[in-house]
Amino acid sequence: MTKVVAITGASSGIGEAVALYLAAQGAKLVLVARGEDKLNALVDRIIDDGGAAVAVSADVARRDDLVRVVGAARQHYGRLDVLVSCAGAMPIGPLDDLAVDDWDQMVDVNLKGVLYGIAAALPVFREQGSGHFVNIASTAARKTTPNQTVYSATKAAVLALSDGLRQELAGKLRVTVISPGFTNTNFLSHVRDDKLRAQMQEAAGEFAMDPQAVAKAVGYAIEQPEAVNIGEIVIRSLNQR
Ligand SMILES: NC(=O)c1ccc[n+]([C@@H]2O[C@H](COP(=O)([O-])OP(=O)(O)OC[C@H]3O[C@@H](n4cnc5c(N)ncnc54)[C@H](OP(=O)(O)O)[C@@H]3O)[C@@H](O)[C@H]2O)c1
C-alpha cells in the first residue's frame, strides 16, 4: 500500500493502532492530535521501523486546523488518499449532571471534527478524482446505555453523516464508517466520575477488544480495489452483546 493517509486521534488507542498497522503496510502517514510529545514519539518509532510519517499538532474542533492537516499531506507527499477521522472525546455521565461543557466537547470533537475533515479534504479529493473518508463511529451509535446518551448521539450522527456522504459521492469517492465496540484504549481516562469509570473498567476487563482489531478493519476497507466501497464495518469483541 503506497497510499497517503491522514489519521486524526493518532497519538493513542485506536488511532495509534491504525497508524502502526498502515505504516507496516507501506502507507505514508500524517498523524494528527493536539498533544505533540506522543505524536512525535510515534513518528520516530514508525521512521525507525522504515516507515513514513509526519506529525501535525491540530485540534479537530477547529476548522482551520483540518485545512492545515490536508495541506501538510500535500506538502509532504503531494496528495491525500485517505482521511481517517478517529479523534474522539468521551466525557460521559448522566444527562441530569447538566455537564454542558462536556456535551459541547463531544459535539465539537466527535461530530464537528468529522465534518471539518470532510470540508477540508473533499475539495482535494474532487480535484484528484479519488479519495476515501474513513470515519470511526461506535456500536454506541445504535445502542445507547444510561450515561452515554450524548456520546451515542454524536456517534449516531457520524453514522448518518457517513451514509449520506457515501450516497452523495457514489461513483466518485469512497466513504467507510467503522463502528467498534468496547476497545482497550485510553478512553476511560475521559470519564470524570470515579464510580462510573470503575464500572466501565470492570466491563472493559470482561469484553474490551484489542485496538489492533479495529486497525485491521480500517486496512481492509482501504485495501479494496478503487471500484469497491466498504460502506460500514461493525466490530466488537466476542463477549460484547
Ligand atoms: N475505546 C472504545 O471503546 C471505543 C469504542 C468505539 C469507538 N471509539 C472511538 O474511537 C476513537 C478513538 O478513541 P480511543 O478509544 O482510541 O481513545 P483515546 O485512546 O483516548 O484516543 C483519543 C485520541 O483522540 C485525540 N483527540 C482528542 N481530542 C482531540 C481533538 N480535539 N483534536 C485532535 N485530536 C484529539 C487524542 O489526542 P490528544 O488528546 O493529544 O488530542 C488521542 O490521540 C474515538 O472516536 C472513539 O469515539 C472508541
Side-chain angles (χ1 to χ4, degrees):
M1 182 195 294
T2 53
K3 294 202 167 174
V4 176
V5 185
I7 306 166
T8 72
S11 64
S12 171
I14 292 172
E16 181 182 15
V18 171
L20 290 168
Y21 182 80
L22 295 182
Q25 311 294 312
K28 298 173 183 170
L29 303 177
V30 177
L31 304 183
V32 182
R34 291 164 305 174
E36 289 186 11
D37 292 351
K38 286 175 77 180
L39 265 190
N40 288 333
L42 184 60
V43 165
D44 289 347
R45 180 176 166 191
I46 288 171
I47 290 173
D48 285 350
D49 289 345
V54 294
V56 177
S57 171
D59 182 344
V60 298
R62 295 184 186 172
R63 187 176 170 185
D64 289 349
D65 281 18
L66 268 305
V67 173
R68 202 155 46 73
V69 167
V70 173
R74 298 187 99 185
Q75 185 194 332
H76 286 278
Y77 306 118
R79 63 184 200 276
L80 176 67
D81 297 311
V82 186
L83 174 62
V84 181
S85 288
C86 185
M90 191 184 175
I92 61 167
L95 277 173
D96 199 30
D97 279 356
L98 301 182
V100 177
D101 288 346
D102 289 344
W103 303 351
D104 280 343
Q105 190 195 358
M106 286 186 271
V107 171
D108 287 350
V109 177
N110 302 354
L111 175 55
K112 289 171 78 176
V114 177
L115 281 167
Y116 290 157
I118 292 166
L122 190 49
V124 173
F125 287 173
R126 249 198 253 114
E127 189 187 313
Q128 294 174 165
S130 69
H132 191 169
F133 293 101
V134 178
N135 299 330
I136 305 298
S138 168
T139 52
R142 287 210 174 81
K143 180 182 176 186
T144 194
T145 52
N147 304 314
Q148 296 201 25
T149 310
V150 177
Y151 176 75
S152 286
T154 62
K155 292 300 184 177
V158 171
L159 214 57
L161 168 66
S162 302
D163 195 51
L165 187 68
R166 181 190 60 75
Q167 293 181 50
E168 289 187 22
L169 298 178
K172 300 180 190 116
L173 303 172
R174 303 199 293 178
V175 183
T176 300
V177 61
I178 296 186
S179 292
F182 207 166
T183 310
N184 249 326
T185 68
N186 198 31
F187 229 35
L188 290 182
S189 70
H190 304 215
V191 182
R192 299 187 206 289
D193 183 90
D194 291 342
K195 199 171 153 203
L196 181 56
R197 194 171 54 253
Q199 279 170 7
M200 294 193 69
Q201 192 71 58
E202 201 182 322
E206 284 170 32
F207 58 81
M209 66 185 163
D210 192 296
Q212 174 80 0
V214 186
K216 285 185 181 169
V218 172
Y220 172 76
I222 293 175
E223 285 159 12
Q224 297 306 308
E226 286 300 318
V228 174
N229 186 67
I230 302 295
E232 182 179 1
I233 297 175
V234 182
I235 173 169
R236 43 170 93 72
S237 102
L238 183 62
N239 293 336
Q240 182 174 341
R241 287 178 199 283

